């Protein structure tokens, strides 16, 4: 019992550290990766004693993004505007960050692993209602944004907060409907079970990933998730041209860094959800039942620990690739106007989500129970 | 296992705080929040008794109570908005038109 | 560990409930209420009612309270200034509440109610068990609740929107007056 708790705590910390690192990766991609996409130079000024230049390497922008930017942000003056509610202004960034961070503990990054005769789960918190936990944390995440805008005593912040809150709660519904369809298809609320059910192949070669079971659900969760994390074409609440910086106008220094981290961490969370529900999570495409089944050829039996480690690696690869893909969407699509955004959420995604749930339920019942 | 008496005592304490809120505060929105406190206290006692008896009835009742509370909150807040538009006040003592 | 968890949650719930009732700024009251609801949700989960506990957090703390927040913003309430009504009222209210607690405890604490400490059956609080109850015994209530929610949504939208008839008349009157002066 105790050792399970300790392992769980270590895994939770590991997942949160992983999420933070992926957030920094995404930040690098936002700065330098976008420069590579857009054929410009990007950030290339920060270096440590010019070592890279002496060795003849181009500046990859890593020192800039990973060291210089955070140092700059945390050493800026921390400023609370006059007339603002001091307590709420101070705790709002952390209220925004906390629900996002605790989401990562229910995401499975591997199957069980057996070391020294003791089996433990590669998932920090093995909840059998994991999906409800996700929806709960996403729902509570609204408060940080709302309070940040309200507590700033600034009408543009308040407008940004109202827009952001309305956007988040509207797309929560679409997200919930997409996830419900997946839950109906797999018949369980447990994330580890959903990942396990995506092992195996159809027709001998096609992996049983969720995206083939629920293509509409994938598109729904993709769109709703991006809108929920206020990224990509849905970042109206924090645009510079319209609302100065929206709900975090009055934040500087470390608190602004926390808000940006929330943004990136939410993006990472959505990517992990997509990978878990639709891309098989930690399932390596043709490895199941402890053996590698090359299509058309015989199966090669593999060591248990190797399979588990390959699972973790597969999860990381999928998350990084999808994260970079969604990050590159930012430089591809123009921003939605606010009424277009609301119309898409309520008149487009919610009916589509309901229809998806209906069709999925029919197929599951007529097909004779969940798979 | 949490003893039943502890949960019932907590539930009655929260209920009483809700009642005190209704009696003392004159701001309609805060009176409404006190109503929500009372509803939640009762939900807590339902769940505690359900666990004590091992039956799922308590949870089903709480499910419905939660839904009805959501509907009531929506309509109640709409009424408050409509009343505010006409009278520009949320102080309950100022709403005296129906008094004889 | 269970009792330590319970005492912590109980203290938090009572303190935040008091915070709802005592504080002057409506937004602070709302935040205290959110903390109370989250604590009660966690108490549900500790009692074994997993699904209902998470539903409490999703629906109550995550949606209904955001609705309250929007209404507070919309009404743009100022800080409550000064004591609301005479102090005697507050004192009597507190005494009444304390009397209520005492009365309830008389019924709740006696040894006849104490502690069977039964262990609930396996699968208690899971979504299968809840769904079985909802779709067999309480099916009619379930369907009627959905109609109730629809009625509530329609009612709320109808009550809270601005009446268009008055503003159309208001706009039409000056236009008519301008047309008449032109003709005259």
């Amino acid at each position: 019992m105790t050792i399970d708790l300790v392992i769980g705590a270590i895994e939770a910390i590991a997942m949160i550290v992983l999420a933070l690192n992926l957030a920094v990766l995404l930040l690098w991609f936002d700065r330098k990766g976008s420069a590579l996409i857009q054929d410009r130079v990007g950030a290339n000024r920060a270096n440590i004693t010019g070592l890279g230049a002496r060795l003849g390497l181009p500046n990859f922008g890593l020192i800039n993004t990973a060291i210089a930017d955070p140092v700059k942000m945390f050493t800026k003056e921390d400023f609370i505007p006059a007339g603002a509610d001091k307590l709420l202004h101070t705790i709002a960034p952390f209220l925004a960050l906390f629900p996002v961070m605790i989401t990562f503990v229910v995401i499975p990054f591997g199957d069980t692993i057996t070391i020294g005769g003791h089996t433990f789960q590669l998932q920090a918190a093995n909840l059998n209602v994991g999906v409800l936990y996700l929806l709960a944390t996403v729902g509570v995440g609204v408060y940080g944004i709302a309070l940040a805008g309200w507590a700033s005593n600034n009408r543009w912040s308040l407008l940004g907060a109202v827009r952001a809150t309305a956007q988040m709660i509207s797309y929560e519904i679409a997200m919930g409907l997409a996830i419900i369809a997946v839950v109906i298809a797999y018949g369980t609320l447990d994330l580890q079970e959903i990942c396990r059910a995506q092992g195996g192949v159809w027709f001998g070669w096609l992996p049983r990933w969720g995206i083939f079971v629920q293509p509409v659900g994938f598109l729904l969760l993709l769109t709703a998730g991006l809108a929920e994390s206020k990224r990509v074409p849905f970042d109206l609440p924090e645009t510079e041209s319209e609302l100065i910086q929206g709900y975090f106008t009055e934040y500087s220094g470390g608190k602004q860094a926390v808000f940006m981290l929330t943004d990136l961490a939410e993006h990472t969370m959505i990517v992990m959800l997509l990978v878990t529900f639709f891309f098989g999570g930690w399932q390596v495409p043709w490895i199941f039942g402890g053996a590698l089944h090359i299509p058309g050829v015989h199966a090669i039996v593999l060591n248990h620990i190797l399979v588990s480690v390959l699972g973790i690696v597969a999860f990381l690869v999928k998350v990084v690739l999808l994260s970079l893909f969604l990050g590159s969407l930012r430089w591809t699509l123009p921003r939605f106007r606010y009424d277009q955004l609301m119309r898409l959420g309520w008149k487009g995604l919610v009916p589509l989500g309901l229809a998806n749930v209906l069709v999925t339920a029919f197929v599951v019942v007529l097909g004779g129970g969940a798979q | 296992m949490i003893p039943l008496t502890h949960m019932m005592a907590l539930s009655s304490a929260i209920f009483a705080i809700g009642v005190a809120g209704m009696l003392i505060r004159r701001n309609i929105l805060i009176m409404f929040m006190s109503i929500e406190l009372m509803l939640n206290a009762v939900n807590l006692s339902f769940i505690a008794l359900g666990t004590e008896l091992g039956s799922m009835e308590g949870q089903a009742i709480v499910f419905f109570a939660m839904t009805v509370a959501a509907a009531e909150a929506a309509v109640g807040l709409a009424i408050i908005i409509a009343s505010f538009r006409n009278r520009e006040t949320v102080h309950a003592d100022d709403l005296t038109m129906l008094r004889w | 560990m269970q009792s330590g968890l319970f005492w912590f949650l109980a203290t938090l719930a009572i303190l935040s409930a008091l915070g709802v009732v005592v504080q002057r700024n409506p937004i602070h009251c709302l935040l205290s209420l959110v903390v109370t609801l989250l604590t009660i949700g966690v108490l549900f989960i500790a009692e074994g009612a997993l699904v209902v506990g998470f539903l409490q957090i999703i629906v109550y703390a995550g949606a209904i309270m955001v609705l309250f927040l929007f209404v507070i913003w919309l009404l743009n309430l100022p800080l409550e200034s000064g004591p609301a009504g005479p102090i005697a009222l507050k004192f009597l209210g507190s005494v009444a509440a304390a009397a209520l607690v005492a009365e309830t405890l008389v019924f709740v604490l006696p040894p006849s109610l104490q502690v069977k400490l039964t262990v609930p059956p396996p699968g208690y609080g899971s979504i299968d068990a809840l769904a079985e109850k909802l779709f067999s015994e309480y099916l009619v209530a379930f369907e009627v609740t959905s109609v109730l929610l629809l009625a509530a949504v329609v009612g709320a939208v109808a009550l809270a929107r601005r009446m268009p008839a008055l503003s159309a008349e208001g706009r039409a009157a000056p236009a008519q007056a301008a047309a008449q002066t032109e003709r005259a």
Side-chain angles (χ1 to χ4, degrees), chain A residues 201 204-205 285-300 302:
Chain A
V201 289
W205 60 274
W286 290 285
I287 297 183
F288 55 93
L292 171 64
H293 300 253
I294 306 175
V297 192
H298 61 282
I300 309 173
L302 296 172

Side-chain angles (χ1 to χ4, degrees), chain A residues 4 7 11 108-124 126 190 192-193 195-196 282-283 290 303-312:
Chain A
D4 280 332
I7 299 284
E11 282 175 355
F109 54 94
D111 206 350
T112 61
I113 195 168
T114 314
I115 291 186
H118 188 89
T119 310
F120 51 95
Q121 300 271 350
L122 285 176
Q123 181 189 24
N126 193 8
D190 187 357
Q192 183 73 289
E193 291 300 317
C195 272
R196 284 202 186 114
W282 43 260
Q283 298 272 6
N303 187 7
H304 295 294
I305 300 195
L306 178 64
V307 170
S308 301
V309 169
L310 276 180
I312 302 179

Side-chain angles (χ1 to χ4, degrees), chain C residues 49-74:
Chain C
L50 284 175
V51 177
V52 173
F54 279 115
L55 278 179
Q56 160 96 353
I57 298 178
I58 295 174
V59 169
Y60 245 116
I64 298 180
M65 288 300 123
V66 175
L67 184 61
F68 268 91
L69 186 67
F70 267 101
V71 170
I72 294 182
W73 278 342
L74 184 66

Side-chain angles (χ1 to χ4, degrees), chain B residues 24, chain C residues 86-98:
Chain B
I24 296 177
Chain C
I87 304 283
L89 178 67
K90 287 192 188 176
F91 179 68
L92 280 177
S94 319
V95 166

Side-chain angles (χ1 to χ4, degrees), chain A residues 314-336:
Chain A
F315 177 75
L316 286 175
V317 165
K318 288 178 199 174
V319 167
V320 167
L321 284 179
L322 194 60
S323 185
L324 295 184
F325 169 67
L326 289 187
S328 71
L329 271 182
R330 182 175 183 174
W331 311 105
T332 318
L333 296 173
R335 185 176 290 144
F336 273 83

